[in-house]
Amino acid sequence: MEGTAGYLIAFILIVKGYSVRGVMGLDMPSNWMALHWGLNSVNSRFIIDRAKVKADAFIDSISEGKKEFRGIVPLILGLLLSPVSLGYLIIGRFFLSKLFFASEDCTGCGLCAESCPVKGIKMVGNTKPRPYWTFACESCMRCMGYCPNQAVEVSYSFAIILYFLTTLPVSVYILNELSESAPTGPYLFVVNALLNYSYILFVFFIAYLVLFWLIRIPLLNKLCTYTTLTHIYRRYHEPDTKLRDMLKNQG
């Protein structure tokens, strides 16, 4: 279900002055290896080949001057689910970017940082640099899919810690301390939301910074590595796409 994605891109292109003659979504193999294992080559090839038939037919239709606007039902469903999309935009993407870490299999080669399409990974450290995922990370999974040593992992145990830290009612504590000067009415909701949001982002940043330095301790690294399912998940990336090709395009 592509939801609003295709039509949102179409809208942006129209605003930029382009004439959009078609929109269509395609089912492709999921690469969200933070949640599940990658598909094997047989299954992924079946899905890709089926999508290619639809894509070729769509391109032929557009080339003949026709207009093809598909995916109306997913668009409607996407609009109905827009609060979920908004929640991911303001919180979810930051949360997911702070779950990545490099296991002891990491050699510090820097390939993940070099190939990141949004420059969301930085190599930190002098003697043995290690990848640090910033808030710019979009969880595209390129680093996990293409790491030559399969060293990129997602920590489930750290996700649980973050959940408990970010659900503390900090705004309530602060507003109670400021009971006499605390805002009332509609302003209370706004102040409460801003306090919670600021606190959550602060916790993400500080907790991950602590994890990044503690993960250098071999015992803790092994503990995080062997308590996450990503360590046993099959890695996946589009079979016909080589990392060097994407690096050429970025250059």
Side-chain angles (χ1 to χ4, degrees):
M1 192 188 88
E2 68 270 20
T4 58
Y7 283 90
L8 179 59
I9 295 172
F11 174 74
I12 293 172
L13 291 173
I14 291 172
V15 171
K16 289 179 173 288
Y18 291 90
S19 176
V20 178
R21 300 215 306 268
V23 175
M24 183 183 72
L26 289 171
D27 292 325
M28 296 295 285
S30 171
N31 71 330
W32 199 15
M33 291 165 288
L35 185 64
H36 60 74
W37 56 88
L39 293 180
N40 62 39
S41 57
V42 175
N43 289 333
S44 60
R45 177 56 63 191
F46 172 80
I47 296 173
I48 293 170
D49 289 345
R50 186 176 61 178
K52 187 177 186 305
V53 173
K54 295 181 179 180
D56 289 343
F58 177 76
I59 293 171
D60 290 341
S61 180
I62 296 298
S63 299
E64 292 171 2
K66 299 178 182 178
K67 293 185 177 181
E68 293 277 351
F69 289 92
R70 305 179 186 179
I72 301 301
V73 173
L75 171 62
I76 295 173
L77 293 175
L79 291 172
L80 292 175
L81 293 172
S82 57
V84 178
S85 301
L86 180 62
Y88 173 79
L89 179 66
I90 62 176
I91 292 292
R93 61 180 297 271
F94 299 128
F95 175 79
L96 294 175
S97 70
K98 293 307 180 185
L99 300 182
F100 290 102
F101 73 95
S103 72
E104 286 194 304
D105 293 329
C106 175
T107 62
C109 68
L111 193 61
C112 54
E114 182 185 359
S115 63
C116 179
V118 294
K119 302 303 178 187
I121 303 174
K122 295 181 179 179
M123 299 302 294
V124 179
N126 296 322
T127 56
K128 185 182 178 182
R130 299 180 67 86
Y132 177 92
W133 281 263
T134 70
F135 278 139
C137 170
E138 294 285 355
S139 298
C140 72
M141 303 293 159
R142 182 185 291 186
C143 54
M144 184 176 282
Y146 282 94
C147 176
N149 298 302
Q150 298 189 6
V152 178
E153 308 279 5
V154 168
S155 176
Y156 295 160
S157 53
F158 186 60
I160 296 173
I161 294 173
L162 280 181
Y163 171 77
F164 281 106
L165 287 175
T166 55
T167 52
L168 292 174
V170 171
S171 62
V172 175
Y173 299 148
I174 295 176
L175 292 175
N176 284 340
E177 290 295 325
L178 303 174
S179 56
E180 295 184 0
S181 57
T184 58
Y187 297 106
L188 178 61
F189 172 79
V190 174
V191 171
N192 186 62
L194 289 175
L195 285 173
N196 280 329
Y197 187 65
S198 301
Y199 167 71
I200 288 172
L201 292 185
F202 177 75
V203 166
F204 285 167
F205 177 77
I206 296 299
Y208 186 72
L209 192 63
V210 172
L211 174 71
F212 175 77
W213 290 108
L214 290 181
I215 207 74
R216 293 168 175 263
I217 302 174
L219 181 60
L220 181 61
N221 193 296
K222 287 184 182 295
L223 180 63
C224 288
T225 300
Y226 290 102
T227 55
T228 175
L229 292 175
T230 61
H231 188 63
I232 60 174
Y233 281 169
R234 180 193 297 116
R235 300 304 198 247
Y236 170 83
H237 58 75
E238 205 284 322
D240 296 328
T241 303
K242 305 299 182 184
L243 187 57
R244 62 175 177 271
D245 299 326
M246 289 187 284
L247 290 175
K248 288 178 183 178
N249 293 332
Q250 287 181 200

